[in-house]
Amino acid sequence: MSIFRRRGTSQKQQEQEPPELKSESKVNELKAALGPLTGRNSLYCTDACLRRYLEARNWNVDKAKKMLEETLAWRSTYKPEEIRWHEVAVEGETGKLFRANFRDRVGRTVLVLKPGLQNTKSMDNQIKHLVYLMENAMLNLPEGQEEMAWLIDFTGWSFSTNVPVRTARDTINILQDHYPQRLAVAFLYAPPRIFEAFWKIVKYFMDPKTFQKVKFVYPKNQESVELMRSFFDVDNLPTEFGGKATMKYDHEDFSRLMAQDDVKAAKFWGFDEKTAPAASVCAAPAAVAPEPTKPIGQTNECAVVS
């Protein structure tokens, strides 16, 4: 009986272990399970990265290991860190997806999506463009931040500009499986009624954690508007999303900034800056230049972080 009591006491002590100690213990356990890592994998698999995979799998080491190994296999073939801006720049010409020059209230990087401005037909390139911007957004996360926010403007959206369900599913799978715990919140601003039919299908591809981070905002619904404003300063928030700032996307300015970021990413991964492909950061957030005190041209004109 005393043996069973000691085991029970030990289990209870583990359950009462402080979260930070439990986290460190699980990270070390996952490290041991993965074994020695080399090259880009060793850069990718920082403690912060391992922690995200553990969180995504409810701290189950075996499941987190499987998920992470699948990501490493995907990255070895898809090579997101080797995507250069010039390869996807055509996708960004209309400003359908870009990194904003403002952050949310806690300093997270913001991606702005405008699906109504779809300008290409290649679904593979569209996904590649999104992956590039995800990696770029992570490169520009301030120290101590692991997640980003999405703002989705449905102006001009229709079924003719919508992505096929299969592409939506593939995109969701990439984001969930290979970028866990990177999304803090996604605001879908004023989606039209016809979007609801599409949403009913694609939401089944989302895991519960991702689904809970998606928020619908309707301008006439004060509760949803207030929720959004709890995440963003109304003075920084563009008018398209119910704020007071003017936002104008300038493709040439954005392209110059992406070229600069390609150099930063290449430096992180140890590539030759002159010949190396653009790169990504899953590891600890890289240092970034401070936000501009004056937006280029006019308030939020360039809509990018300098």
Side-chain angles (χ1 to χ4, degrees):
M1 291 297 293
S2 59
I3 295 177
F4 289 114
R5 279 200 299 271
R6 284 197 294 272
R7 287 180 179 175
T9 301
S10 176
Q11 181 178 358
K12 185 176 181 180
Q13 288 175 342
Q14 290 178 5
E15 290 173 354
Q16 294 176 346
E17 190 175 25
E20 60 273 12
L21 293 180
K22 179 180 179 181
S23 170
E24 183 179 357
S25 174
K26 290 290 186 179
V27 167
N28 290 334
E29 190 177 341
L30 180 54
K31 276 184 185 178
L34 288 170
L37 297 171
T38 60
R40 299 181 192 180
N41 288 350
S42 63
L43 287 174
Y44 184 88
C45 295
T46 63
D47 286 3
C49 183
L50 300 186
R51 196 173 293 110
R52 287 193 297 273
Y53 281 81
L54 284 163
E55 288 178 3
R57 290 296 179 261
N58 296 316
W59 299 93
N60 183 300
V61 174
D62 290 337
K63 291 181 178 180
K65 177 176 179 286
K66 181 176 184 294
M67 184 185 190
L68 182 51
E69 287 176 339
E70 289 173 352
T71 291
L72 295 179
W74 173 77
R75 293 184 72 91
S76 71
T77 55
Y78 198 87
K79 299 184 185 301
E81 73 277 14
E82 295 187 9
I83 304 173
R84 299 190 70 131
W85 172 246
H86 69 78
E87 298 175 50
V88 297
V90 65
E91 295 289 340
E93 287 180 350
T94 60
K96 67 186 179 187
L97 171 60
F98 57 91
R99 193 182 82 240
N101 73 338
F102 60 92
R103 295 190 171 110
D104 68 7
R105 289 188 182 275
V106 295
R108 289 179 291 227
T109 300
V110 177
L111 286 183
V112 175
L113 295 82
K114 298 191 173 189
L117 298 180
Q118 183 59 260
N119 62 322
T120 63
K121 300 292 185 181
S122 172
M123 301 304 167
D124 289 341
N125 285 343
Q126 290 169 16
I127 293 176
K128 188 176 182 180
H129 179 227
L130 175 60
V131 167
Y132 173 86
L133 264 298
M134 283 289 296
E135 300 272 336
N136 179 267
M138 293 186 299
L139 175 73
N140 285 283
L141 282 169
E143 185 176 355
Q145 291 293 350
E146 295 287 317
E147 299 176 316
M148 65 192 72
W150 285 19
L151 289 175
I152 305 174
D153 174 17
F154 280 88
T155 302
W157 185 91
S158 67
F159 276 119
S160 64
T161 59
N162 188 35
V163 299
V165 171
R166 181 178 179 182
T167 303
R169 180 198 64 194
D170 292 346
T171 302
I172 291 170
N173 287 342
I174 287 175
L175 296 176
Q176 291 182 161
D177 296 344
H178 306 312
Y179 295 95
Q181 302 303 113
R182 284 301 194 181
L183 179 65
V185 64
F187 285 106
L188 280 59
Y189 194 82
R193 281 192 175 276
I194 56 174
F195 176 76
E196 294 178 6
F198 179 74
W199 176 249
K200 287 179 180 178
I201 298 173
V202 300
K203 70 180 183 180
Y204 289 108
F205 304 138
M206 296 183 176
D207 64 39
K209 288 186 177 181
T210 303
F211 180 78
Q212 291 173 5
K213 296 177 180 179
V214 178
K215 312 295 182 184
F216 284 72
V217 178
Y218 298 96
K220 294 182 180 180
N221 184 310
Q222 193 60 31
E223 184 178 349
S224 64
V225 170
E226 288 302 322
L227 174 64
M228 186 171 180
R229 291 186 176 184
S230 70
F231 279 82
F232 297 95
D233 185 335
V234 69
D235 290 329
N236 293 331
L237 196 63
T239 54
E240 296 96 311
F241 298 101
K244 298 179 179 180
T246 300
M247 180 171 63
K248 181 180 178 182
Y249 175 77
D250 187 310
H251 186 60
E252 290 185 4
D253 283 348
F254 190 75
S255 294
R256 281 192 289 270
L257 290 171
M258 292 302 97
Q260 293 172 11
D261 279 358
D262 284 352
V263 174
K264 286 196 298 184
K267 184 177 180 180
F268 172 83
W269 289 104
F271 293 144
D272 184 317
E273 293 182 3
K274 295 180 180 179
T275 60
S280 64
V281 164
C282 162
V288 298
E291 290 188 76
T293 55
K294 283 187 179 180
I296 301 172
Q298 60 175 308
T299 305
N300 289 354
E301 179 177 349
C302 182
V304 292
V305 175
S306 61

